[in-house]
Amino acid sequence: MEHRGGGLNKYVFPSRLSPKAHLSTRQHARLLDQWVQAVGLIPGEYGTHLLRQTKVAMIYKRTGNIRAVQILLDHSKLDSTRYLGVDVEDTLALSEATDF
């Protein structure tokens, strides 16, 4: 950030079309495809949404905090977070392990 004169009021990933805008979702996907290919992986098997899910799944496995994951994913309903593999057994185990 310092090298390119960035600061708190500038985008970390600015648009290539306008310095006053952020990197577009499409451009981010294109860059990700290039990075995946550069390391010898298959671009169709990796995407921005998969990476987003992977990170929060790791956070959930490490902490067991489904509410934090819900907030990170910006899901309004906890049911939307089910695809991470959170199930009733996990929830019950967390509940039983928590004393107050």
Side-chain angles (χ1 to χ4, degrees):
M1 295 285 297
E2 287 180 20
H3 177 72
R4 66 177 183 82
L8 293 176
N9 60 345
K10 295 193 177 184
Y11 289 110
V12 174
F13 300 103
S15 166
R16 61 190 170 94
L17 302 176
S18 169
K20 294 182 180 182
H22 61 79
L23 186 72
S24 72
T25 303
R26 186 65 210 127
Q27 184 61 21
H28 179 256
R30 282 188 197 112
L31 287 171
L32 181 63
D33 283 348
Q34 290 172 7
W35 298 333
V36 168
Q37 276 185 316
V39 297
L41 300 173
I42 302 167
E45 294 181 4
Y46 299 88
T48 56
H49 197 70
L50 175 66
L51 294 177
R52 173 184 148 125
Q53 291 173 350
T54 301
K55 171 125 184 169
V56 294
M58 291 169 63
I59 290 169
Y60 173 71
K61 285 183 180 184
R62 186 173 297 150
T63 66
N65 189 338
I66 191 66
R67 177 68 178 133
V69 169
Q70 178 188 5
I71 292 167
L72 287 169
L73 290 172
D74 196 29
H75 287 170
S76 58
K77 296 180 179 180
L78 197 55
D79 287 348
S80 302
T81 312
R82 291 236 179 251
Y83 64 85
L84 289 172
V86 177
D87 58 20
V88 175
E89 292 172 16
D90 288 342
T91 308
L92 290 174
L94 284 169
S95 177
E96 290 170 0
T98 304
D99 295 326
F100 39 126

